[in-house]
Amino acid sequence: MRIDVGVATDIGRVREVNEDSYLVDAPLYAVADGMGGHRGGDVASSLALEIVEAAFREGKGSLADQVREANRAVHSRSEADQAVSGMGTTLTAVMVEDATARFAHVGDSRAYLLRAGDLRQVTNDHTLVARMVRAGEITPEEAAVHPHRNVVTRVIGTEETVAVDEDTLPLLDGDRLLLCSDGLTGMVAEDQIQAILEAEPDPQRAADRMVKAANRAGGIDNITVLVLDALSEDGDPPPGQLPSPSRWPSLKRLIAGAVIAVVVIVAVLFGVRAYVDRQWYVGESDGKVAVFQGIPAHPLGITLADVDTQTEIAAADVVAIEVYRDLPDGISAENRADAFAIVEQMRADVTDAASPGTGDGGGNGGGAA
Ligand code: MG
């Protein structure tokens, strides 16, 4: 499975510093939204992602273990350096390998999955309002405008240890993942996010459009967006050339299926032809007895026989003799010589019938069985 990535980050229209950071280092992708006075937030988010990346490269445990290591590093720095004391960051990371997405998550940045027209939030927000929604105290609509909607209940770096949410998701060809900071989701409604993700096949342009939408809506926070397209490896088109890249592989399968079907049909027809060409029968052509190569059948109106030899014997005279009454339907023969033997028998029988009492061959159907 191949991942096509689009990424955009923007300071927004109100903040003086962009404290968001992102990581794109296949197969690892992450966003982090830092917080803390001065430059603390900036330091927290970038340091956390550096540590996750390094721990991943060193193969240290699971993705959640790597996030916990980032927590320890940010916390230590915060303790050691008065200038960044109390800093923290959200961290939403995904590692994509073998068509499986493994998530590790702390805070209120989000991961979404767009699959088959359905946009689903993969992560749970670690916020006061999300907790209130889960407890049934407020509705999601009330949470979106709640005065304490920005209160984050779990972050990287403020405590010595942190609980990391983990999730695993099998990916399908055409799946689109979105990682983003709350500068997007706080400004742009989910149905609008989904509309952009569905309208823009190119992941980079989709990311850029979402940042633009957040800024148009006010841009009161830093905005960071990662769009990850999961595509099967077998020759997908370059992004942006077709209205829906996710449909393309299934179209290819359809074409491949059609080609196989045609090959099978042709093979069957060749087999039928070879069989037909070995068959012989005696039948009627233009009112005369004739030897045919093929079979006396017309499936779907297709003629499966050719006249080999037409005789001068009137078909009506032959059919008048009881044993040959099936002549119009074809009297089968073993081979060409056998077909001619049947014809000679017919000729003799017709002659006998025309001059009764001159012989004893009448009624003998020969090879007419
Ligand atoms: Mg933010």
Side-chain angles (χ1 to χ4, degrees):
M1 182 156 277
R2 192 182 87 220
I3 302 294
D4 281 359
V5 187
V7 60
T9 188
D10 192 80
I11 194 169
R13 298 170 64 182
V14 176
R15 299 292 175 89
E16 292 180 347
V17 180
N18 188 349
E19 298 182 317
D20 286 359
S21 294
Y22 66 84
L23 171 64
V24 173
D25 184 9
L28 189 59
Y29 310 89
V31 297
D33 176 354
M35 55 205 74
H38 223 46
R39 298 200 67 94
D42 186 17
V43 172
S45 66
S46 55
L47 175 61
L49 294 187
E50 272 169 37
I51 298 296
V52 166
E53 186 178 25
F56 175 76
R57 289 294 155 209
E58 289 162 29
K60 286 184 179 171
S62 68
L63 187 56
D65 292 331
Q66 292 146 18
V67 171
R68 280 187 280 270
E69 180 155 336
N71 179 72
R72 285 191 292 275
V74 174
H75 185 251
S76 300
R77 175 80 66 88
S78 162
E79 297 273 281
D81 185 351
Q82 191 64 39
V84 294
S85 175
M87 68 177 175
T89 183
T90 72
L91 206 168
T92 301
V94 62
M95 199 257 287
V96 183
E97 257 175 0
D98 302 329
T100 300
R102 293 175 204 287
F103 297 89
H105 163 75
V106 174
D108 68 345
S109 297
R110 291 179 179 176
Y112 286 92
L113 168 68
L114 178 71
R115 173 180 291 172
D118 190 46
L119 184 70
R120 176 167 83 80
Q121 187 178 338
V122 179
T123 50
N124 287 315
D125 293 348
H126 300 136
T127 59
L128 192 62
V129 290
R131 193 185 285 173
M132 290 163 79
V133 169
R134 280 197 294 274
E137 293 165 16
I138 57 171
T139 65
E141 292 72 29
E142 287 165 341
V145 295
H146 197 279
H148 301 311
R149 65 182 177 278
N150 293 323
V151 177
V152 183
T153 52
R154 213 194 285 178
V155 284
I156 298 284
T158 55
E159 308 285 339
E160 264 187 77
T161 60
V162 69
V164 178
D165 285 358
E166 291 179 82
D167 207 350
T168 300
L169 192 72
L171 288 180
L172 302 178
D173 182 32
D175 278 352
R176 179 167 257 193
L177 293 173
L178 166 68
L179 302 187
C180 60
S181 63
D182 69 336
L184 176 70
T185 50
M187 305 305 303
V188 183
E190 278 187 7
D191 56 355
Q192 201 187 338
I193 291 172
Q194 180 169 355
I196 294 169
L197 287 172
E198 287 182 334
E200 182 50 72
D202 179 66
Q204 184 56 53
R205 284 202 290 268
D208 291 337
R209 276 180 63 174
M210 279 184 276
V211 165
K212 243 178 230 165
N215 276 327
R216 254 200 314 271
I220 60 169
D221 196 359
N222 308 142
I223 310 140
T224 300
V225 177
L226 257 76
V227 177
L228 309 175
D229 282 337
L231 300 164
S232 65
E233 297 278 7
D234 53 342
D236 298 295
Q241 289 199 354
L242 290 169
S244 175
S246 61
R247 300 277 168 81
W248 181 240
S250 59
L251 179 65
K252 279 175 62 189
R253 277 196 289 275
L254 203 65
I255 291 168
V259 168
I260 290 166
V262 167
V263 167
V264 168
I265 289 167
V266 167
V268 166
L269 289 179
F270 268 99
V272 167
R273 187 73 241 178
Y275 168 79
V276 164
D277 286 348
R278 289 198 304 275
Q279 308 307 307
W280 294 86
Y281 71 95
V282 179
E284 182 185 336
S285 173
D286 294 334
K288 306 288 187 188
V289 170
V291 170
F292 289 82
Q293 184 180 21
I295 54 175
H298 300 85
L300 305 174
I302 301 166
T303 301
L304 294 176
D306 295 313
V307 173
D308 176 79
T309 304
Q310 188 162 19
T311 70
E312 77 298 349
I313 306 167
D317 292 347
V318 175
V319 173
I321 299 167
E322 177 64 17
V323 294
Y324 299 128
R325 62 164 187 228
D326 291 337
L327 180 73
D329 296 331
I331 296 168
S332 60
E334 296 283 321
N335 48 44
R336 188 168 189 262
D338 185 37
F340 278 98
I342 293 170
V343 168
E344 289 316 306
Q345 187 64 51
M346 284 175 174
R347 194 193 307 279
D349 290 346
V350 167
T351 306
D352 282 353
S355 40
T358 59
D360 59 359
N364 182 355

